Amino acid sequence: MFEVIVVRNLAEALRVKGSSVFELVHHTFYERDFIFFARLTAHLSKITGCDEKDAMEFGKLSELLYLSSLLHFSLTEVTENTEQLRAEKQMPVLLGDLLYGRFITALTESGKTAYLPIYLAYLKHFNVDGVDALEGRMSYTMDDAAALLTEKTAEVMALFTECAVEKVLAEANVYLRDHWEGLRGEKISSFAALEVLLQKEFSQGAMVC
């Protein structure tokens, strides 16, 4: 039920005035993109004793930040015409920024702005490494981004619950190692597909569309 609530809340953030992120960008999403951080925070709540409501809020925050990064990272290097430029460069950037704005809104509404510097540390590394990768100076993937965001998620939950950061971080890294690759799942290209994911994974009829 924990993950269902996180994903249902996340689905609202993917709406864009009668349309959705799914319809506005040419990007392939997978099940993992919507549930990994929800599952991670559910797991860490058991380690830290974090209240379920707060843990779900941390799950939504990390999911929004991850999806924002995913859209920014999906840019193509070469576009052949104006339509392709709009679909493959401008729109992912704009929607990535939109989701980042909704991350900030969720952070503020949940009263967790004290943890913004930790999330910004993730963004700083993501932006620097992402640019270096695009310019061919290093190899960088969303797997690397997910690993870093996993660490930052563990850090904020540890500080929130006054647990030892090292202990929670170690647990988060083990969880990442054991679950990230195997959780990729099916493609998600619409709200209907997201609903199928909820029904399949959690046996819930929670409508998101």
Side-chain angles (χ1 to χ4, degrees):
M1 189 61 181
F2 182 107
E3 295 92 338
V4 172
I5 294 173
V6 172
V7 176
R8 287 182 69 189
N9 290 336
L10 182 64
E12 291 304 312
L14 301 177
R15 298 185 187 280
V16 187
K17 288 188 177 291
S19 188
S20 73
V21 170
F22 296 114
E23 297 163 310
L24 295 172
V25 293
H26 298 160
H27 181 76
T28 301
F29 296 96
Y30 291 90
E31 294 178 0
R32 178 177 65 189
D33 299 329
F34 301 97
I35 62 176
F36 175 78
F37 287 99
R39 288 188 173 185
L40 173 67
T41 51
H43 176 71
L44 294 182
S45 69
K46 300 171 185 175
I47 306 300
T48 62
C50 185
D51 176 82
E52 187 175 78
K53 177 179 178 292
D54 289 308
M56 285 190 289
E57 288 172 348
F58 282 123
K60 179 181 178 180
L61 289 170
S62 291
E63 288 287 356
L64 282 171
L65 200 50
Y66 175 78
L67 287 169
S68 172
S69 299
L70 185 61
L71 287 172
H72 280 129
F73 197 73
S74 69
L75 302 179
T76 57
E77 294 186 17
V78 179
T79 53
E80 298 178 356
N81 52 55
T82 302
E83 182 178 354
Q84 191 180 20
L85 172 66
R86 184 164 48 249
E88 298 184 9
K89 283 191 183 293
Q90 292 178 340
M91 195 58 72
V93 169
L94 291 172
L95 291 176
D97 288 348
L98 175 66
L99 291 185
Y100 177 67
R102 290 177 176 175
F103 158 79
I104 293 294
T105 299
L107 188 75
T108 303
E109 291 178 345
S110 63
K112 294 179 170 58
T113 53
Y115 305 102
L116 180 58
I118 297 174
Y119 289 115
L120 288 180
Y122 158 78
L123 281 175
K124 179 181 178 180
H125 282 284
F126 173 80
N127 289 332
V128 170
D129 292 343
V131 169
D132 284 346
L134 282 174
E135 296 181 353
R137 289 192 293 270
M138 67 176 290
S139 175
Y140 188 75
T141 69
M142 283 307 297
D143 291 348
D144 299 314
L148 179 58
L149 187 53
T150 292
E151 293 183 356
K152 297 306 179 185
T153 301
E155 186 176 347
V156 296
M157 290 188 69
L159 292 175
F160 181 77
T161 56
E162 300 182 342
C163 289
V165 173
E166 294 80 6
K167 175 185 176 182
V168 182
L169 181 58
E171 187 67 35
N173 282 329
V174 169
Y175 190 88
L176 176 76
R177 182 196 68 200
D178 292 345
H179 296 86
W180 178 254
E181 288 299 330
L183 196 59
R184 189 167 187 258
E186 300 294 328
K187 293 179 181 179
I188 302 291
S189 58
S190 65
F191 278 118
L194 199 55
E195 166 63 11
V196 171
L197 168 62
L198 290 178
Q199 292 185 21
K200 182 182 74 172
E201 293 292 329
F202 314 118
S203 298
Q204 300 288 334
M207 293 302 296
V208 298
C209 53

